[in-house]
Amino acid sequence: MIKPLFIFLLLFTVMTTSVVAQSARRKMYDSLLVGDRITPAVSSVMMPKSYTEVILSNSLLTTNAYYNDDRNRMDAGQRYTYLINTLQVTHGISATGRLNLGLDLSYRTGRADADPDSSPLAVFGNSSEGLIQYERAFTSMGIRARYVPTRNRNFVIQHVFSVPISSGDAGEFLGDNRYALNTQFLYTQLMGRKLFLFGQADVYVRFEDDQADTDFTNPVYLFLTYLANDHFFPFVQVGMTNAWDVDFDLLRQSFTYGVGLQYQINSMFNINAFYNDVFAGKTTYRFNAYNLGIRVVF
């Protein structure tokens, strides 16, 4: 009887100590945190020294239509679906909290179906009915730097240099098979007591390889977030993306809208879900996207 009681007391003590330590660490994190904490799409929160942010982002993109050169919506005649899973780890290394370094790892699954009305959820299974192509692979690793370049801590810049790790048919079909550099300009602004404005502009460069020349993509997104209470943050999104070739001739253009919800358990743990849709464009697929992200700070 004494031994089980001793083990129970020991486990209880360890758990209690862990909870107290985590609570103290969260209070310290909250006291060190500078700037706004809203992360509707991509995190712009700077990690204080010794803290690590981990984000698991999951996106399901599917389409059976496209916009042609005349911006008319056309049926694709089949369905394409992609599941993109990205793990991001960001660590605070500077005492001022103005510089973070991190690593990204991307895993993709892609499926093409002959039936344009087939379910996008088929990407999760192994059904061969109507299957044209199916690929899955770890596609890239990224080295990332996030920093505050000015006195205004609401303005953050992030660079990600991606190295492809898939090849062959998987790399071609999954579309993440070139060396790339993405520079993101992120800005968060409180508007009154309940509204946040979050802006994101990317300059994404995919470098030439044996199959394609260098191209440039510039997504611009604007998010408006409402602070319903301490935990629920609904938001809306509008965006435009342009892609150019090496001579800066327009290759593709798309316009999107989206809605979502961020649920924040506390400042170190939140869940983010949103839907967005390409509603117009030129020489681009009409993708619908379902996104789920989990963010934890240690």
Side-chain angles (χ1 to χ4, degrees), residues 153-184:
R153 287 181 175 263
N154 286 343
F155 177 49
V156 173
I157 297 178
Q158 185 166 256
H159 303 286
V160 184
F161 180 71
S162 299
V163 178
I165 55 178
S166 62
S167 60
D169 291 341
E172 291 287 336
F173 183 64
L174 297 174
D176 192 19
N177 60 326
R178 285 197 263 168
Y179 289 91
L181 176 64
N182 192 20
T183 299
Q184 298 176 307

mmCIF file of all heavy atoms in Angstrom, residues 153-184:
data_model
loop_
_atom_site.group_PDB
_atom_site.id
_atom_site.type_symbol
_atom_site.label_atom_id
_atom_site.label_comp_id
_atom_site.label_asym_id
_atom_site.label_seq_id
_atom_site.Cartn_x
_atom_site.Cartn_y
_atom_site.Cartn_z
ATOM 1 N N ARG A 153 7.854 47.583 -33.918
ATOM 2 C CA ARG A 153 7.861 46.128 -33.797
ATOM 3 C C ARG A 153 6.659 45.463 -34.450
ATOM 4 O O ARG A 153 6.604 44.237 -34.528
ATOM 5 C CB ARG A 153 7.965 45.722 -32.327
ATOM 6 C CG ARG A 153 9.345 45.962 -31.727
ATOM 7 C CD ARG A 153 9.382 45.507 -30.285
ATOM 8 N NE ARG A 153 10.734 45.610 -29.732
ATOM 9 C CZ ARG A 153 11.590 44.598 -29.656
ATOM 10 N NH1 ARG A 153 11.238 43.422 -30.118
ATOM 11 N NH2 ARG A 153 12.781 44.756 -29.134
ATOM 12 N N ASN A 154 5.702 46.245 -34.912
ATOM 13 C CA ASN A 154 4.584 45.653 -35.651
ATOM 14 C C ASN A 154 4.977 45.299 -37.079
ATOM 15 O O ASN A 154 4.244 44.589 -37.766
ATOM 16 C CB ASN A 154 3.390 46.611 -35.680
ATOM 17 C CG ASN A 154 2.687 46.675 -34.339
ATOM 18 O OD1 ASN A 154 2.867 45.809 -33.490
ATOM 19 N ND2 ASN A 154 1.890 47.709 -34.151
ATOM 20 N N PHE A 155 6.106 45.809 -37.545
ATOM 21 C CA PHE A 155 6.594 45.525 -38.889
ATOM 22 C C PHE A 155 7.694 44.468 -38.801
ATOM 23 O O PHE A 155 8.721 44.669 -38.157
ATOM 24 C CB PHE A 155 7.131 46.791 -39.545
ATOM 25 C CG PHE A 155 7.719 46.570 -40.910
ATOM 26 C CD1 PHE A 155 7.034 45.856 -41.884
ATOM 27 C CD2 PHE A 155 8.967 47.086 -41.233
ATOM 28 C CE1 PHE A 155 7.571 45.652 -43.143
ATOM 29 C CE2 PHE A 155 9.518 46.893 -42.496
ATOM 30 C CZ PHE A 155 8.814 46.168 -43.450
ATOM 31 N N VAL A 156 7.450 43.325 -39.448
ATOM 32 C CA VAL A 156 8.363 42.188 -39.373
ATOM 33 C C VAL A 156 8.681 41.713 -40.785
ATOM 34 O O VAL A 156 7.810 41.708 -41.661
ATOM 35 C CB VAL A 156 7.729 41.035 -38.564
ATOM 36 C CG1 VAL A 156 8.599 39.780 -38.614
ATOM 37 C CG2 VAL A 156 7.507 41.457 -37.111
ATOM 38 N N ILE A 157 9.935 41.335 -41.003
ATOM 39 C CA ILE A 157 10.354 40.748 -42.283
ATOM 40 C C ILE A 157 10.796 39.312 -42.033
ATOM 41 O O ILE A 157 11.462 39.025 -41.022
ATOM 42 C CB ILE A 157 11.493 41.556 -42.935
ATOM 43 C CG1 ILE A 157 11.019 42.970 -43.277
ATOM 44 C CG2 ILE A 157 11.996 40.855 -44.205
ATOM 45 C CD1 ILE A 157 12.100 43.852 -43.875
ATOM 46 N N GLN A 158 10.429 38.434 -42.955
ATOM 47 C CA GLN A 158 10.802 37.024 -42.834
ATOM 48 C C GLN A 158 11.341 36.526 -44.170
ATOM 49 O O GLN A 158 10.729 36.771 -45.216
ATOM 50 C CB GLN A 158 9.580 36.206 -42.407
ATOM 51 C CG GLN A 158 9.866 34.755 -42.137
ATOM 52 C CD GLN A 158 8.715 34.086 -41.387
ATOM 53 O OE1 GLN A 158 8.817 33.845 -40.192
ATOM 54 N NE2 GLN A 158 7.629 33.791 -42.066
ATOM 55 N N HIS A 159 12.478 35.850 -44.142
ATOM 56 C CA HIS A 159 13.063 35.238 -45.337
ATOM 57 C C HIS A 159 13.073 33.725 -45.165
ATOM 58 O O HIS A 159 13.415 33.223 -44.085
ATOM 59 C CB HIS A 159 14.510 35.705 -45.558
ATOM 60 C CG HIS A 159 14.683 37.179 -45.670
ATOM 61 N ND1 HIS A 159 14.320 37.898 -46.779
ATOM 62 C CD2 HIS A 159 15.192 38.081 -44.788
ATOM 63 C CE1 HIS A 159 14.598 39.173 -46.597
ATOM 64 N NE2 HIS A 159 15.129 39.314 -45.395
ATOM 65 N N VAL A 160 12.730 33.016 -46.235
ATOM 66 C CA VAL A 160 12.803 31.562 -46.231
ATOM 67 C C VAL A 160 13.505 31.107 -47.502
ATOM 68 O O VAL A 160 13.031 31.406 -48.614
ATOM 69 C CB VAL A 160 11.413 30.901 -46.157
ATOM 70 C CG1 VAL A 160 11.565 29.383 -46.059
ATOM 71 C CG2 VAL A 160 10.612 31.435 -44.994
ATOM 72 N N PHE A 161 14.622 30.418 -47.343
ATOM 73 C CA PHE A 161 15.320 29.825 -48.485
ATOM 74 C C PHE A 161 15.010 28.335 -48.500
ATOM 75 O O PHE A 161 15.343 27.617 -47.547
ATOM 76 C CB PHE A 161 16.830 30.053 -48.405
ATOM 77 C CG PHE A 161 17.582 29.452 -49.570
ATOM 78 C CD1 PHE A 161 17.471 30.007 -50.838
ATOM 79 C CD2 PHE A 161 18.382 28.336 -49.394
ATOM 80 C CE1 PHE A 161 18.159 29.454 -51.914
ATOM 81 C CE2 PHE A 161 19.070 27.779 -50.463
ATOM 82 C CZ PHE A 161 18.951 28.343 -51.730
ATOM 83 N N SER A 162 14.347 27.873 -49.564
ATOM 84 C CA SER A 162 13.877 26.491 -49.645
ATOM 85 C C SER A 162 14.765 25.663 -50.559
ATOM 86 O O SER A 162 15.120 26.100 -51.662
ATOM 87 C CB SER A 162 12.433 26.443 -50.162
ATOM 88 O OG SER A 162 11.561 27.124 -49.285
ATOM 89 N N VAL A 163 15.071 24.468 -50.084
ATOM 90 C CA VAL A 163 15.895 23.515 -50.839
ATOM 91 C C VAL A 163 15.031 22.302 -51.175
ATOM 92 O O VAL A 163 14.475 21.673 -50.270
ATOM 93 C CB VAL A 163 17.114 23.075 -50.015
ATOM 94 C CG1 VAL A 163 17.937 22.053 -50.792
ATOM 95 C CG2 VAL A 163 17.967 24.278 -49.634
ATOM 96 N N PRO A 164 14.869 21.972 -52.465
ATOM 97 C CA PRO A 164 14.031 20.820 -52.824
ATOM 98 C C PRO A 164 14.680 19.510 -52.399
ATOM 99 O O PRO A 164 15.900 19.345 -52.505
ATOM 100 C CB PRO A 164 13.927 20.921 -54.347
ATOM 101 C CG PRO A 164 15.146 21.677 -54.759
ATOM 102 C CD PRO A 164 15.438 22.644 -53.646
ATOM 103 N N ILE A 165 13.850 18.571 -51.929
ATOM 104 C CA ILE A 165 14.377 17.266 -51.541
ATOM 105 C C ILE A 165 13.636 16.129 -52.235
ATOM 106 O O ILE A 165 13.908 14.969 -51.989
ATOM 107 C CB ILE A 165 14.322 17.060 -50.012
ATOM 108 C CG1 ILE A 165 12.903 17.264 -49.478
ATOM 109 C CG2 ILE A 165 15.289 17.992 -49.327
ATOM 110 C CD1 ILE A 165 12.791 17.034 -47.981
ATOM 111 N N SER A 166 12.678 16.474 -53.113
ATOM 112 C CA SER A 166 12.011 15.459 -53.934
ATOM 113 C C SER A 166 12.489 15.600 -55.372
ATOM 114 O O SER A 166 13.000 16.632 -55.776
ATOM 115 C CB SER A 166 10.493 15.611 -53.875
ATOM 116 O OG SER A 166 10.099 16.863 -54.402
ATOM 117 N N SER A 167 12.320 14.554 -56.151
ATOM 118 C CA SER A 167 12.789 14.584 -57.537
ATOM 119 C C SER A 167 11.872 13.730 -58.397
ATOM 120 O O SER A 167 10.964 13.055 -57.903
ATOM 121 C CB SER A 167 14.229 14.065 -57.624
ATOM 122 O OG SER A 167 14.300 12.732 -57.152
ATOM 123 N N GLY A 168 12.120 13.741 -59.702
ATOM 124 C CA GLY A 168 11.354 12.906 -60.620
ATOM 125 C C GLY A 168 9.909 13.339 -60.739
ATOM 126 O O GLY A 168 9.571 14.521 -60.613
ATOM 127 N N ASP A 169 9.015 12.363 -60.967
ATOM 128 C CA ASP A 169 7.602 12.654 -61.159
ATOM 129 C C ASP A 169 6.986 13.326 -59.943
ATOM 130 O O ASP A 169 6.134 14.212 -60.069
ATOM 131 C CB ASP A 169 6.834 11.369 -61.480
ATOM 132 C CG ASP A 169 7.184 10.810 -62.856
ATOM 133 O OD1 ASP A 169 7.714 11.579 -63.678
ATOM 134 O OD2 ASP A 169 6.938 9.618 -63.096
ATOM 135 N N ALA A 170 7.414 12.909 -58.751
ATOM 136 C CA ALA A 170 6.855 13.495 -57.531
ATOM 137 C C ALA A 170 7.157 14.984 -57.458
ATOM 138 O O ALA A 170 6.275 15.808 -57.183
ATOM 139 C CB ALA A 170 7.405 12.776 -56.296
ATOM 140 N N GLY A 171 8.401 15.356 -57.724
ATOM 141 C CA GLY A 171 8.785 16.755 -57.673
ATOM 142 C C GLY A 171 8.047 17.602 -58.691
ATOM 143 O O GLY A 171 7.579 18.704 -58.390
ATOM 144 N N GLU A 172 7.918 17.102 -59.904
ATOM 145 C CA GLU A 172 7.231 17.843 -60.965
ATOM 146 C C GLU A 172 5.749 18.024 -60.635
ATOM 147 O O GLU A 172 5.193 19.110 -60.755
ATOM 148 C CB GLU A 172 7.375 17.098 -62.295
ATOM 149 C CG GLU A 172 8.780 17.097 -62.870
ATOM 150 C CD GLU A 172 9.189 18.447 -63.425
ATOM 151 O OE1 GLU A 172 8.281 19.230 -63.784
ATOM 152 O OE2 GLU A 172 10.397 18.717 -63.493
ATOM 153 N N PHE A 173 5.091 16.948 -60.222
ATOM 154 C CA PHE A 173 3.656 16.977 -60.006
ATOM 155 C C PHE A 173 3.275 17.768 -58.756
ATOM 156 O O PHE A 173 2.265 18.479 -58.732
ATOM 157 C CB PHE A 173 3.120 15.544 -59.905
ATOM 158 C CG PHE A 173 1.637 15.449 -59.746
ATOM 159 C CD1 PHE A 173 0.778 15.891 -60.747
ATOM 160 C CD2 PHE A 173 1.084 14.903 -58.600
ATOM 161 C CE1 PHE A 173 -0.596 15.806 -60.599
ATOM 162 C CE2 PHE A 173 -0.294 14.806 -58.450
ATOM 163 C CZ PHE A 173 -1.140 15.260 -59.460
ATOM 164 N N LEU A 174 4.099 17.670 -57.722
ATOM 165 C CA LEU A 174 3.773 18.334 -56.466
ATOM 166 C C LEU A 174 4.163 19.805 -56.456
ATOM 167 O O LEU A 174 3.735 20.557 -55.580
ATOM 168 C CB LEU A 174 4.445 17.600 -55.302
ATOM 169 C CG LEU A 174 3.968 16.153 -55.090
ATOM 170 C CD1 LEU A 174 4.791 15.470 -54.009
ATOM 171 C CD2 LEU A 174 2.490 16.117 -54.738
ATOM 172 N N GLY A 175 4.987 20.223 -57.405
ATOM 173 C CA GLY A 175 5.222 21.647 -57.618
ATOM 174 C C GLY A 175 6.108 22.343 -56.611
ATOM 175 O O GLY A 175 6.033 23.556 -56.454
ATOM 176 N N ASP A 176 6.957 21.604 -55.916
ATOM 177 C CA ASP A 176 7.857 22.217 -54.931
ATOM 178 C C ASP A 176 9.267 21.688 -55.177
ATOM 179 O O ASP A 176 9.950 21.244 -54.264
ATOM 180 C CB ASP A 176 7.373 21.862 -53.522
ATOM 181 C CG ASP A 176 8.061 22.678 -52.437
ATOM 182 O OD1 ASP A 176 8.625 23.741 -52.748
ATOM 183 O OD2 ASP A 176 8.046 22.241 -51.275
ATOM 184 N N ASN A 177 9.702 21.768 -56.438
ATOM 185 C CA ASN A 177 10.905 21.052 -56.859
ATOM 186 C C ASN A 177 12.039 21.971 -57.314
ATOM 187 O O ASN A 177 12.949 21.538 -58.003
ATOM 188 C CB ASN A 177 10.553 20.102 -58.010
ATOM 189 C CG ASN A 177 9.991 20.842 -59.210
ATOM 190 O OD1 ASN A 177 9.299 21.849 -59.044
ATOM 191 N ND2 ASN A 177 10.268 20.366 -60.414
ATOM 192 N N ARG A 178 11.988 23.251 -56.920
ATOM 193 C CA ARG A 178 13.055 24.178 -57.294
ATOM 194 C C ARG A 178 13.574 24.921 -56.066
ATOM 195 O O ARG A 178 12.842 25.142 -55.106
ATOM 196 C CB ARG A 178 12.542 25.194 -58.319
ATOM 197 C CG ARG A 178 12.378 24.638 -59.708
ATOM 198 C CD ARG A 178 12.292 25.788 -60.712
ATOM 199 N NE ARG A 178 10.937 26.138 -61.050
ATOM 200 C CZ ARG A 178 10.596 27.247 -61.709
ATOM 201 N NH1 ARG A 178 11.534 28.107 -62.072
ATOM 202 N NH2 ARG A 178 9.342 27.495 -61.999
ATOM 203 N N TYR A 179 14.847 25.317 -56.138
ATOM 204 C CA TYR A 179 15.360 26.219 -55.120
ATOM 205 C C TYR A 179 14.551 27.518 -55.175
ATOM 206 O O TYR A 179 14.232 28.026 -56.253
ATOM 207 C CB TYR A 179 16.837 26.523 -55.352
ATOM 208 C CG TYR A 179 17.746 25.359 -55.069
ATOM 209 C CD1 TYR A 179 18.100 24.460 -56.075
ATOM 210 C CD2 TYR A 179 18.256 25.142 -53.783
ATOM 211 C CE1 TYR A 179 18.938 23.375 -55.820
ATOM 212 C CE2 TYR A 179 19.095 24.068 -53.515
ATOM 213 C CZ TYR A 179 19.422 23.199 -54.538
ATOM 214 O OH TYR A 179 20.241 22.125 -54.275
ATOM 215 N N ALA A 180 14.219 28.046 -53.989
ATOM 216 C CA ALA A 180 13.362 29.229 -53.952
ATOM 217 C C ALA A 180 13.717 30.099 -52.759
ATOM 218 O O ALA A 180 14.207 29.612 -51.727
ATOM 219 C CB ALA A 180 11.890 28.817 -53.894
ATOM 220 N N LEU A 181 13.459 31.394 -52.911
ATOM 221 C CA LEU A 181 13.645 32.363 -51.827
ATOM 222 C C LEU A 181 12.368 33.170 -51.690
ATOM 223 O O LEU A 181 11.917 33.798 -52.655
ATOM 224 C CB LEU A 181 14.825 33.281 -52.125
ATOM 225 C CG LEU A 181 15.056 34.404 -51.097
ATOM 226 C CD1 LEU A 181 15.407 33.826 -49.725
ATOM 227 C CD2 LEU A 181 16.148 35.362 -51.573
ATOM 228 N N ASN A 182 11.784 33.139 -50.500
ATOM 229 C CA ASN A 182 10.570 33.905 -50.237
ATOM 230 C C ASN A 182 10.861 34.961 -49.188
ATOM 231 O O ASN A 182 11.364 34.657 -48.100
ATOM 232 C CB ASN A 182 9.449 32.980 -49.747
ATOM 233 C CG ASN A 182 8.095 33.692 -49.736
ATOM 234 O OD1 ASN A 182 7.911 34.694 -50.409
ATOM 235 N ND2 ASN A 182 7.152 33.162 -48.978
ATOM 236 N N THR A 183 10.565 36.210 -49.520
ATOM 237 C CA THR A 183 10.687 37.322 -48.578
ATOM 238 C C THR A 183 9.283 37.814 -48.266
ATOM 239 O O THR A 183 8.534 38.173 -49.169
ATOM 240 C CB THR A 183 11.539 38.458 -49.148
ATOM 241 O OG1 THR A 183 12.863 37.971 -49.410
ATOM 242 C CG2 THR A 183 11.625 39.608 -48.165
ATOM 243 N N GLN A 184 8.943 37.832 -46.981
ATOM 244 C CA GLN A 184 7.610 38.224 -46.553
ATOM 245 C C GLN A 184 7.691 39.500 -45.727
ATOM 246 O O GLN A 184 8.478 39.593 -44.787
ATOM 247 C CB GLN A 184 6.963 37.115 -45.718
ATOM 248 C CG GLN A 184 6.765 35.812 -46.481
ATOM 249 C CD GLN A 184 6.213 34.713 -45.593
ATOM 250 O OE1 GLN A 184 6.770 34.431 -44.529
ATOM 251 N NE2 GLN A 184 5.125 34.097 -46.020
#
